[in-house]
């Protein structure tokens, strides 16, 4: 089995990756500065590239797209002076698995288009599951695409709409889109926000002075001193101008299915989701994990940084001391050094190092948020054993990830997911640990506030990566040969 698994890049920390973060602001002086700060707070949602579009009555629309981190591109006075105006939107991105390393600057959002009633820019977090069929249809009708991004479909659909204004055109376009979308858009005078009917990806509304803010997470409001007002509801569109916030619900109502992995890993622990602290939810996950999967040990250690709140919860529930058995080097850049064979053999040691004096002779519980390919988990286990640990027990703060996500997450193909090809016992043997246990799906639901666990008839969250039950059929992937879950599974 293990021979078929792909070798990991030495800097690949083997995590699922949220693809995007979005931010928009209206009614503030120097909007671009607010956007840059907001995108910096959302950097965990996308580190490959970023873009900002603003509008100023004197200079019109201004845009800047750059590869790399926000701090390296959108902090100099010279750069920010090129983005004047009191309204603007921004975007940070990861590329999808298929185009990683081949991204062109034209793929970087926000996308901008000139329509008969004026210009508009749009930034999208999520994934359009019928993008290929929409793209084919639009190209046949004469549309000329500039990027490989599924999000550009929305711009072309807006161009073909007969709506009287930009919000109407955007509404008509989004009705033709399947999948997940949290969108921020702007015209010369309006900031627009919209979530898909299932509300898979997050979007929140805030207020800063006399101005308004839309952002993927509440931590982006905190950084600019904005007050959290509320979450944009699933299926809601808000249009914000000088008269305030107008809200309506243009889509057919559906039972919400927010992404449960936002609670497990994607969102920053200092954000709030659904009125709940992400940090407290992750601590609850650790407590549930300890109840379901106890083991005798001397220390509970997180795999930093994503496993930390769950490890604290596991320690509090089990009474086993919490310890920083692995230390993270926060200054490890993504291109720190060329990955020669010598460096490749160092593996994750460039990012993580074992606290040897603490670990030696101890029975250690390692708490991590997920196991995807398992490559990093094996390396961490080897480092812990090299440091003299007596036993290594993995406890995972999510159920086995055995299905890919098609709603805005960079997931490997199903056959590359460890849990898709191995049982829990086989995974334990493959990783070479004394025990391996995952939280149950019911336990995860209890930790996020569903006291009775998961309602299989009407789940409160999208958990397709664990259950294989997709709330929106991924039509493009099915057409490409993807096999949906069968009744037997």
């Amino acid at each position: 089995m293990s021979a078929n698994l792909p070798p990991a890049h030495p800097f690949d920390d083997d995590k699922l990756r949220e693809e995007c973060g979005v931010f928009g602001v209206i009614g503030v002086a120097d909007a671009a500065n607010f956007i840059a700060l907001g995108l910096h707070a959302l950097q965990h949602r996308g580190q490959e590239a970023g873009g900002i579009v603003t509008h100023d009555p004197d200079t019109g629309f201004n845009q800047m797209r750059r590869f790399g981190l926000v701090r390296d591109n959108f902090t100099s006075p010279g750069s920010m002076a090129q983005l004047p105006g009191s309204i603007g939107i921004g975007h940070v991105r990861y590329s999808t698995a298929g185009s990683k390393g081949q991204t062109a600057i034209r793929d970087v959002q926000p996308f901008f288009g000139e329509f008969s009633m004026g210009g508009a820019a749009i930034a999208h977090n999520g994934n359009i599951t019928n993008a290929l069929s929409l793209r084919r249809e639009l190209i046949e009708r004469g549309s000329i695409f500039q990027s490989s991004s599924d999000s550009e479909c929305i711009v072309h659909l807006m161009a073909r709409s007969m709506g009287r204004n930009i919000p109407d055109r955007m509404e008509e376009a989004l009705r033709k889109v399947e999948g997940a979308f949290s969108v921020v858009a702007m015209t010369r005078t309006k900031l627009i926000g919209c979530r898909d009917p299932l509300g898979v990806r997050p979007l929140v509304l805030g207020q800063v002075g006399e101005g308004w803010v839309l952002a993927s997470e509440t931590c982006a409001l905190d950084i600019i001193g904005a007050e959290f007002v509320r979450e944009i509801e699933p299926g809601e569109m808000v249009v914000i101008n000088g008269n305030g916030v107008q809200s309506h619900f243009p889509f057919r109502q559906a039972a919400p299915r927010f992404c449960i992995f936002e609670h497990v890993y994607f969102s920053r622990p200092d954000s709030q989701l659904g009125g709940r602290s992400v940090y407290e939810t992750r601590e609850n996950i650790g407590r549930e994990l300890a109840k379901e999967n106890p083991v005798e040990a001397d220390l509970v250690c997180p795999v930093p940084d994503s496993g930390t709140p769950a490890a604290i919860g596991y320690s509090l529930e089990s009474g086993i001391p919490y310890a920083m058995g692995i230390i993270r080097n926060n200054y490890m850049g993504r291109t720190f050094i060329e990955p020669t064979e010598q460096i490749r053999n160092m593996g994750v040691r460039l990012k993580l190092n074992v606290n040897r004096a603490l670990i030696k002779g101890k029975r250690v519980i390692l708490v991590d948020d997920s196991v995807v390919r398992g490559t990093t988990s094996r390396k961490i286990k080897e480092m812990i054993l090299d440091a003299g640990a007596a036993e290594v027990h993995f406890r995972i703060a999510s159920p086995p990830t055995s299905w890919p996500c098609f709603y805005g997450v960079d997931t490997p193909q199903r056959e590359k997911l460890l849990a898709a090809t191995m049982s829990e016992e086989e995974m334990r043997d493959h990783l070479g640990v004394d025990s391996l246990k995952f939280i149950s799906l019911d336990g995860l639901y209890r930790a996020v506030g569903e006291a009775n666990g998961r309602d299989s008839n009407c789940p409160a969250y999208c958990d397709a990566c664990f259950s294989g039950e997709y709330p929106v059929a991924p039509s493009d992937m099915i057409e490409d040969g993807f096999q949906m879950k069968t009744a037997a599974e």
Side-chain angles (χ1 to χ4, degrees):
M1 274 294 185
S2 60
N4 297 327
L5 291 164
H9 188 283
F11 307 139
D12 174 12
D13 56 2
D14 201 26
K15 300 290 181 193
L16 299 184
R17 285 300 190 191
E18 175 63 83
E19 280 177 10
C20 302
V22 295
F23 189 91
V25 66
I26 186 171
V28 298
D30 300 318
N33 291 331
F34 286 85
I35 297 165
L37 287 167
L39 294 180
H40 179 70
L42 297 172
Q43 191 78 82
H44 60 288
R45 300 182 75 89
Q47 296 174 16
E48 185 183 73
I52 295 176
V53 175
T54 63
H55 182 270
D56 177 75
D58 295 328
T59 61
F61 285 94
N62 311 281
Q63 49 190 315
M64 188 178 293
R65 299 183 184 87
R66 295 287 185 271
F67 289 120
L69 301 178
V70 174
R71 70 178 186 220
D72 297 330
N73 293 309
F74 298 103
T75 50
S76 74
S79 294
M80 303 319 285
Q82 296 175 48
L83 295 165
S86 60
I87 178 173
I89 62 173
H91 186 272
V92 287
R93 87 184 298 262
Y94 273 109
S95 60
T96 56
S99 61
K100 196 168 287 293
Q102 302 167 25
T103 305
I105 199 71
R106 63 178 179 269
D107 294 323
V108 180
Q109 298 184 46
F111 291 131
F112 176 78
E114 284 283 0
F115 303 101
S116 57
M117 67 284 292
I122 187 167
H124 167 221
N125 171 212
N127 200 51
I128 298 171
T129 55
N130 64 332
L132 292 179
S133 52
L134 283 175
R135 194 181 182 99
R136 273 199 306 269
E137 183 183 324
L138 285 161
I139 288 171
E140 283 168 9
R141 293 183 180 183
S143 292
I144 300 170
F145 278 76
Q146 299 294 315
S147 78
S148 63
S149 171
D150 60 345
S151 310
E152 194 185 346
C153 288
I154 301 171
V155 178
H156 289 285
L157 289 169
M158 288 170 66
R160 294 191 166 273
S161 164
M162 300 305 291
R164 293 168 300 134
N165 54 44
I166 297 292
D168 286 351
R169 288 186 170 214
M170 188 168 138
E171 188 178 305
E172 187 180 322
L174 292 176
R175 282 206 192 97
K176 296 176 181 174
V177 161
E178 297 171 7
F181 53 84
S182 279
V183 167
V184 295
M186 62 177 284
T187 67
R188 289 167 294 183
T189 58
K190 296 184 179 79
L191 180 66
I192 306 163
C194 189
R195 284 178 81 188
D196 69 75
L198 299 181
V200 177
R201 305 254 76 86
L203 191 64
V204 299
L205 175 69
Q207 191 162 16
V208 55
E210 297 297 310
W212 296 90
V213 186
L214 292 167
S216 290
E217 290 183 42
T218 60
C219 65
L221 304 180
D222 297 337
I223 197 172
I224 61 167
E227 178 188 352
F228 171 66
V229 176
R230 64 178 179 86
E231 295 187 358
I232 303 302
E233 297 291 323
E236 181 183 15
M237 177 181 278
V238 293
V239 180
I240 310 169
N241 57 20
N243 299 319
V245 181
Q246 286 89 45
S247 163
H248 67 294
F249 291 82
F251 310 109
R252 186 177 297 163
Q253 202 167 2
R257 295 289 292 275
F258 183 63
C259 170
I260 202 165
F261 217 86
E262 290 278 357
H263 285 288
V264 174
Y265 175 70
F266 294 144
S267 295
R268 251 175 54 168
D270 51 334
S271 284
Q272 305 250 340
L273 292 175
R276 298 173 60 85
S277 156
V278 174
Y279 177 90
E280 289 177 11
T281 296
R282 289 178 187 167
E283 188 181 290
N284 287 343
I285 292 172
R287 289 180 180 273
E288 285 289 337
L289 192 53
K291 289 175 192 172
E292 290 185 350
N293 301 297
V295 64
E296 287 188 13
D298 304 305
L299 297 175
V300 178
C301 300
V303 175
D305 291 312
S306 54
T308 300
I312 291 169
Y314 195 103
S315 170
L316 290 170
E317 185 65 35
S318 65
I320 300 169
Y322 170 89
M324 294 295 289
I326 302 172
I327 308 300
R328 182 183 180 89
N329 176 5
N330 290 316
Y331 300 98
M332 164 60 201
R334 294 185 74 191
T335 53
F336 167 66
I337 203 164
E338 283 300 308
T340 61
E341 191 60 39
Q342 184 182 6
I343 296 300
R344 197 171 271 117
N345 291 338
M346 293 180 187
V348 294
R349 293 175 194 269
L350 288 162
K351 278 189 176 180
L352 304 172
N353 193 40
V354 176
N355 193 344
R356 288 175 172 268
L358 191 72
I359 292 293
K360 191 171 183 181
K362 300 291 196 329
R363 298 167 298 173
V364 179
I365 299 170
L366 287 178
V367 180
D368 204 356
D369 62 274
S370 60
V371 172
V372 182
R373 297 181 185 88
T375 47
T376 301
S377 301
R378 286 184 78 171
K379 291 172 186 171
I380 290 169
K381 177 268 304 184
E382 288 162 8
M383 288 164 61
I384 293 284
L385 288 177
D386 286 348
E391 295 175 8
V392 179
H393 303 273
F394 262 115
R395 292 294 178 267
I396 309 301
S398 61
T401 304
S402 50
W403 294 86
C405 173
F406 301 119
Y407 306 130
V409 178
D410 181 18
T411 321
Q413 295 167 320
R414 187 167 187 231
E415 59 269 21
K416 295 176 184 174
L417 295 168
L418 206 64
T421 57
M422 296 185 188
S423 68
E424 195 172 283
E425 292 73 25
E426 288 171 329
M427 281 191 277
R428 181 200 64 208
D429 294 341
H430 172 75
L431 297 176
V433 291
D434 293 278
S435 70
L436 169 70
K437 295 290 180 183
F438 297 81
I439 193 171
S440 68
L441 199 47
D442 277 332
L444 179 56
Y445 269 76
R446 286 192 294 270
V448 297
E450 299 291 319
N452 297 319
R454 184 182 191 265
D455 179 351
S456 57
N457 295 318
C458 185
Y461 290 89
C462 176
D463 53 30
C465 54
F466 308 131
S467 67
E469 296 175 18
Y470 293 92
V472 179
S475 52
D476 284 343
M477 300 306 297
I478 292 169
E479 186 182 318
D480 199 38
F482 176 72
Q483 298 291 313
M484 294 282 278
K485 184 176 179 178
T486 62
E489 291 180 275

